[in-house]
């Protein structure tokens, strides 16, 4: 028998965690002498106020959907992929190489070709930690952290050397115009909807939404997804049922790395149209918070990514208008991870008790 | 080719300087993980301590009060980690990730609100930082050291002129070894990380043992962080730990969770960091130009190779990462 009803598990627990994170953030703001209500107002108008702001929010949301899905797919196989940051960075390298050195005739083909290259690069970066976990038992958390830290100097070297554009900045040359992805305003304009032309949101958002559906179908509607979840629930039981652990670990991590790599469609192809240093900007880590908050379900991840996209964009406005450093978003992110991930039991236990009390009362009557 | 250049005194001196925070953080992780609590939050704890040590040193003008404040802030985060992973049996890795982000954000916010200098503390001077201890007769001027003979160089630059924390760190390794392998506390601590059920059966509180380990971990990362902002540098700047917590974690695995090996691993990684600052010396030594990025990546690559089991096998404490649930 379930201790708490499904709706409470999916809606109530994350909401209370979010509320706790919000309360502590408000206390932090009070301590540094800022008004939390005023800050919340600026945050909301900053994120949703104009359609340009909304475009930025959706741009960040797109990043976080990809990395959130990446973390979630691995998590279903009980693998904690902290390496989405590095995988997205290497995915960016793949997208950049494809865009720079292949003469794409049209953006649609570039999207498929360079997007696939980005996914393959991201998957390849996840493959070594996956192999070491599956075959040699090396802890995936540690190896993916190490691979993050190997990716930074690698890209640092490439962007300052072999693929550097002329000039001072450590970045690749700009991509050819045939690879430029349409802005969200052009996509929506096709359907007759007016939207800001200035913001960075682009067609990658639609790819991200398709990825959500794809991951949902994969996890809950295929044999592989079933095996992955079974393995995640209990390794001995899965083995007994004839599921091959090596295959699950490898496939789950390859898909995870591939999704993280596909983030490059948005930030590298869609927005910057070249690869710059530190292109991922921590989106890989925010993916952890997004996956935890979204309970590893694509729909939850979509909502959580929207929330974090709004926080990220609103946070930028906060630092401009109220002199609250942008790091406030990092603190909120940390608190969400803490309450929804590590202190989950602290939130859950009282709720379970309340539901037990209600149930006992009903039975007594 | 001039392989002797690899033992350039300036690089060795830098090695000692850079290995100290790694060693302290590595031993901190050793205590925690040997007791069965994984800690990837070393980075965050060092960072918060670096900030509070610098801020309080600046306000009071006394680096010892600053050190105490740094340790206290680091222990608070340790207790949070304990609350999440020991009391509420949450995921220890996720808790560590949260702590790292929390420290990364809150230090900048606090520094900005406190000093208004864009997320840094003002520069420390005088009694507000740890001064180098100069041995009697040691040379202090760079020009004099350059001219001196080899023995005098070693004495003046390598042995003399470090802060008290660096000298204390040398004694910490045997102390940690003694505590872990020669005391009852150490035996119980290791047992709690391998087989908590047995420890519980013997009538010892698993939770209390693990909390003590986590607190010791907080104290050591606190000293490591304070050393960064008041010993190596004169003040706090954002993200000043720069991944040292993760290098320490790598060193811990490289050392296979043993104190003396930890000394070796952190000296090696400290040496690589010191060499990365002086690519000219490396080029002189081996005759080819090596990208500094190779040296930046090397600690992590080496750790992956060790983790892969190609150089012996790194076996973590058996009960590591799992919360202990008392049987009823």
């Amino acid at each position: 028998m379930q201790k708490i009803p499904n709706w409470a598990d999916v809606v109530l627990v994350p909401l209370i965690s979010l509320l706790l994170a919000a309360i502590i953030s408000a206390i932090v703001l009070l301590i540094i002498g800022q008004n939390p209500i005023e800050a919340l107002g600026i945050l909301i108008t900053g994120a949703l106020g104009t359609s340009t702001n909304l475009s930025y929010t959706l741009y960040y949301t797109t990043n976080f959907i990809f990395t959130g899905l990446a973390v979630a797919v691995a998590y279903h196989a009980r693998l904690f992929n902290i390496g989405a940051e590095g995988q997205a960075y290497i995915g960016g390298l793949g997208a950049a190489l494809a865009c720079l050195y292949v003469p794409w005739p049209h953006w649609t083909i570039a999207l498929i070709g360079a997007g696939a290259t980005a996914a393959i690069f991201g998957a390849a970066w996840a493959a070594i930690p996956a192999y070491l976990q599956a075959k040699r038992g090396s802890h995936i958390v540690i190896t993916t952290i190490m691979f993050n830290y190997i990716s930074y100097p690698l890209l640092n070297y490439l962007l300052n050397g072999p693929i550097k554009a002329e000039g001072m900045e450590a970045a690749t040359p700009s991509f050819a115009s045939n690879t430029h992805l349409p802005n969200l305003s052009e996509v929506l304009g096709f359907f007759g909807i007016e939207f800001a032309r200035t913001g960075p949101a682009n067609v990658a958002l639609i790819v991200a939404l398709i990825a959500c559906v794809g991951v949902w179908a994969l996890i809950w509607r295929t044999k592989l997804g079933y095996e992955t979840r079974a393995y995640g629930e209990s390794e001995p039981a899965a083995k007994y049922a004839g599921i091959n652990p090596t295959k699950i670990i490898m496939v789950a991590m390859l898909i995870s790395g591939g999704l993280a790599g596909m983030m490059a469609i948005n930030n590298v192809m869609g927005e910057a149209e070249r690869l710059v240093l530190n292109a991922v900007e921590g989106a890989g880590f925010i993916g952890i918070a997004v996956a935890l908050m979204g309970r590893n379900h694509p729909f939850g991840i979509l909502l959580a990514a929207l929330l974090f996209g709004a926080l990220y964009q609103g946070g930028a406005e906060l630092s401009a208008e109220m002199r609250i450093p942008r790091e406030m978003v990092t603190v909120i992110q940390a608190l969400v991870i803490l309450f929804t991930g590590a202190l989950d039991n602290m939130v859950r236990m009282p709720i379970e008790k309340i539901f037990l009390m209600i149930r006992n009362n009903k039975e007594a009557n | 080719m001039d392989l002797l250049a690899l033992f350039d005194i300036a690089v060795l001196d830098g090695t000692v300087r850079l290995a100290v925070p790694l060693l302290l953080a590595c031993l901190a992780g050793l205590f925690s993980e040997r007791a069965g609590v994984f800690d990837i939050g070393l980075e965050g704890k060092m960072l918060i301590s670096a900030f509070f040590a610098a801020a309080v040193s600046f306000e009071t003008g006394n680096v010892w009060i600053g050190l105490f404040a740094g340790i206290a802030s680091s222990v608070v985060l340790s207790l949070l980690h304990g609350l999440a992973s020991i009391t509420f049996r949450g995921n220890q890795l996720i808790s560590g990730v949260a702590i790292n982000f929390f420290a990364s954000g809150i230090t900048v916010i606090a520094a900005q609100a406190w000093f208004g200098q864009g997320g840094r503390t003002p520069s420390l001077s005088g009694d507000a930082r740890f001064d180098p201890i100069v041995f009697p007769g040691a040379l202090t001027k760079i020009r004099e050291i350059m001219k001196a003979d080899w023995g005098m160089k070693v004495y003046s630059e390598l042995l003399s002129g470090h802060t008290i924390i660096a000298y204390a760190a040398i004694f910490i390794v045997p102390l940690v070894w003694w505590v872990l392998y020669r005391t009852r506390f150490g035996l119980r601590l290791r047992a709690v990380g391998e087989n908590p059920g047995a420890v519980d059966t013997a009538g010892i509180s698993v939770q209390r043992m693990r909390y003590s380990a986590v607190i010791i971990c907080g104290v050591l990362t606190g000293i490591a962080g304070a050393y960064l902002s008041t010993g190596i540098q004169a003040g706090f700047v954002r993200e000043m730990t720069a991944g040292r917590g993760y290098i320490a974690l790598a060193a811990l695995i490289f050392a296979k969770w043993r104190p003396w090996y930890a000394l070796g691993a952190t000296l090696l990684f400290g040496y690589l960091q010191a060499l990365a600052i002086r690519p000219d010396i490396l080029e002189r030594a081996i005759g080819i130009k090596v990208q500094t990025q190779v040296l930046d990546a090397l600690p992590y690559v080496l750790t992956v190779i060790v983790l892969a089991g190609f150089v012996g096998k790194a076996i973590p404490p058996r009960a590591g990462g799992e919360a202990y649930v008392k049987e009823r």
Side-chain angles (χ1 to χ4, degrees):
Chain A
M1 188 176 73
Q2 269 185 308
K3 280 185 182 163
I4 53 175
N6 217 358
W7 66 268
D9 183 51
V10 178
V11 180
L12 198 60
V13 175
L15 275 185
I16 290 176
S17 303
L18 192 65
L19 196 66
L20 284 171
I23 291 170
I24 294 187
S25 309
I27 294 172
V28 170
L29 287 178
L30 283 175
I31 292 174
I32 64 169
Q34 301 283 5
N35 181 347
I37 306 214
E38 195 192 336
L40 184 66
I42 292 176
L43 197 101
I44 291 172
T45 46
L48 312 169
T50 69
S51 66
T52 306
N53 292 15
L54 182 61
S55 176
Y56 272 96
T57 296
L58 290 177
Y59 164 72
Y60 293 125
T61 301
T62 311
N63 281 345
F64 303 154
I65 291 175
F66 280 119
T67 54
L69 288 176
V71 175
V73 168
Y75 210 87
H76 277 291
R78 197 137 297 186
L79 297 163
F80 188 22
N81 179 11
I82 308 194
E85 183 80 8
Q87 290 145 19
Y89 207 8
I90 297 292
L93 174 66
L97 292 179
C99 287
L100 285 173
Y101 298 114
V102 180
W104 301 102
H106 190 258
W107 70 264
T108 44
I109 301 165
L111 174 66
I112 295 166
T117 317
I120 290 166
F121 270 59
W125 203 244
I128 306 167
Y131 178 81
L132 292 177
Q133 169 77 59
K135 285 288 178 192
R136 322 232 13 148
S138 325
H139 204 301
I140 195 112
V141 170
I142 306 290
T143 42
T144 49
I145 291 177
M146 298 298 133
F147 269 74
N148 281 342
Y149 277 94
I150 296 170
S151 74
Y152 307 146
L154 177 65
L155 267 289
N156 191 335
Y157 165 70
L158 290 174
L159 290 174
N160 278 301
I163 56 172
K164 183 176 183 299
E166 295 201 5
M168 293 295 287
E169 209 185 346
T172 65
S174 288
F175 303 153
S177 59
N178 273 354
T179 67
H180 292 188
L181 299 183
N183 199 288
L184 201 58
S185 66
E186 295 169 48
V187 179
L188 291 176
F190 186 74
F191 299 100
I193 305 169
E194 285 276 330
F195 197 75
R197 290 180 183 283
T198 43
N202 59 71
V203 74
L205 175 63
I206 296 170
V207 182
L209 294 177
I210 296 169
C212 280
V213 178
V215 167
W216 173 81
L218 173 82
I219 298 288
W220 279 281
R221 287 292 178 273
T222 65
K223 182 163 169 265
L224 180 69
Y226 178 78
E227 288 181 345
T228 305
R229 283 182 294 131
Y231 176 79
E233 288 295 327
S234 164
E235 188 183 337
K239 270 188 188 162
Y240 187 71
I243 294 169
N244 179 355
T246 306
K247 179 186 141 196
I248 298 296
I249 293 173
M250 288 304 296
V251 172
M253 277 306 286
L254 287 176
I255 294 173
S256 176
L259 284 164
M262 274 168 69
M263 193 192 106
I265 296 174
N266 191 42
N267 70 331
V268 178
M269 286 183 74
E271 202 250 347
E273 291 165 356
R274 61 182 187 147
L275 183 64
V276 295
L277 267 188
N278 192 22
V280 186
E281 291 183 304
F285 297 121
I286 295 181
I288 299 169
V290 168
L292 284 169
M293 176 104 209
R295 286 279 177 270
N296 296 310
H297 188 288
F299 187 66
I301 287 168
L302 175 63
L303 294 181
L306 263 171
L307 178 79
F308 270 94
L311 267 177
Y312 214 72
Q313 165 55 19
E317 299 289 312
L318 264 189
S319 65
E321 291 206 19
M322 278 180 81
R323 307 206 150 275
I324 296 171
R326 209 168 170 180
E327 278 74 10
M328 194 64 218
V329 179
T330 315
V331 171
I332 298 173
Q333 174 197 346
L335 292 169
V336 167
I337 295 177
L338 187 70
F339 286 116
T340 56
L343 286 172
D344 190 50
N345 279 333
M346 187 182 87
V347 179
R348 193 176 291 267
M349 280 173 184
I351 298 178
E352 283 176 0
K353 274 201 187 119
I354 292 168
F355 273 100
L356 203 66
M357 256 168 56
I358 297 171
R359 195 175 287 157
N360 286 347
N361 276 348
K362 270 187 191 159
E363 278 166 18
N365 291 337
Chain B
M1 284 272 276
D2 176 16
L3 284 176
L4 272 180
L6 284 175
F7 300 99
D8 186 277
I9 301 297
V11 172
L12 294 184
D13 179 55
T15 302
V16 174
R17 218 173 286 277
L18 294 168
V20 167
L22 296 180
L23 175 64
L24 290 167
C26 184
L27 293 174
L30 190 129
F31 267 103
S32 185
E33 303 210 345
R34 268 303 179 95
V37 181
F38 279 160
D39 193 353
I40 56 175
L42 299 173
E43 175 90 358
K45 287 195 282 255
M46 277 167 91
L47 190 63
I48 204 162
S49 165
F51 169 69
F52 275 101
V56 173
S57 293
F58 177 78
E59 292 293 342
T60 61
N62 185 333
V63 69
W64 290 99
I65 302 177
L67 173 66
F68 182 78
I71 292 174
S73 66
S74 168
V75 169
V76 167
L77 288 192
S78 273
L79 288 174
L80 181 65
H81 187 52
L83 185 74
S85 53
I86 304 170
T87 304
F88 285 108
R89 304 195 294 272
N91 186 320
Q92 302 173 358
L93 301 164
I94 293 177
S95 167
V97 170
I99 284 169
N100 286 339
F101 287 131
F102 182 75
S104 158
I106 205 77
T107 48
V108 176
I109 292 172
Q112 178 62 23
W114 197 334
F115 302 105
Q117 297 188 358
R120 50 161 51 231
T121 63
S123 284
L124 305 174
S125 56
D127 287 340
R129 61 177 301 218
F130 285 107
D131 281 323
I133 297 171
V134 178
F135 288 2
L139 304 171
T140 49
K141 295 205 174 67
I142 291 172
R143 193 168 296 171
E144 287 176 12
I145 293 175
M146 295 273 279
K147 280 184 199 153
D149 59 61
W150 189 78
M152 195 60 190
K153 270 186 185 168
V154 169
Y155 180 70
S156 297
E157 197 166 358
L158 184 57
L159 297 179
S160 166
H162 294 286
T163 61
I164 185 154
I165 292 182
Y167 293 116
I170 300 168
F171 297 102
I172 285 184
V173 180
L175 181 70
V176 166
W177 176 86
W178 183 77
V179 168
L180 272 182
Y181 295 101
R182 288 293 179 272
T183 66
R184 190 157 65 173
F185 174 77
L187 178 67
R188 289 173 175 178
L189 188 112
R190 284 181 290 133
V192 145
E194 297 290 339
N195 190 345
V199 178
D200 197 20
T201 314
I204 301 156
S205 163
V206 174
Q207 294 215 346
R208 190 182 296 168
M209 281 311 298
R210 286 191 167 170
Y211 265 108
S212 339
V214 165
I215 290 169
I216 295 173
C217 170
V219 171
L220 288 172
T221 44
I223 302 173
Y227 174 78
L228 284 178
S229 62
T230 61
I232 295 187
Q233 290 179 33
F236 172 85
V237 289
R238 69 170 70 195
E239 292 293 336
M240 76 178 303
T241 43
R244 284 190 175 85
Y246 294 113
I247 298 190
L249 203 62
L252 180 60
I253 296 158
F254 205 73
K256 298 172 186 170
W257 292 270
R258 287 175 217 169
W260 284 107
Y261 286 46
L263 178 65
T266 49
L267 279 174
L268 173 66
F269 291 176
Y271 178 71
L272 293 175
Q273 285 190 325
L275 213 52
I277 303 173
R278 295 292 303 273
D280 55 311
I281 287 180
L282 187 62
E283 193 179 341
R284 184 148 49 97
I286 58 173
I288 35 172
K289 192 167 164 19
V290 176
Q291 295 292 333
T292 54
Q293 289 95 347
V294 174
L295 296 171
D296 291 339
L298 209 50
Y300 307 109
V301 174
L302 287 176
T303 303
V304 170
I305 292 170
V306 169
L307 268 173
F310 295 126
V311 191
K313 195 151 174 62
I315 303 166
R318 191 136 46 105
E322 288 164 23
Y324 178 66
V325 186
K326 208 176 167 71
E327 280 182 52
R328 281 177 232 273

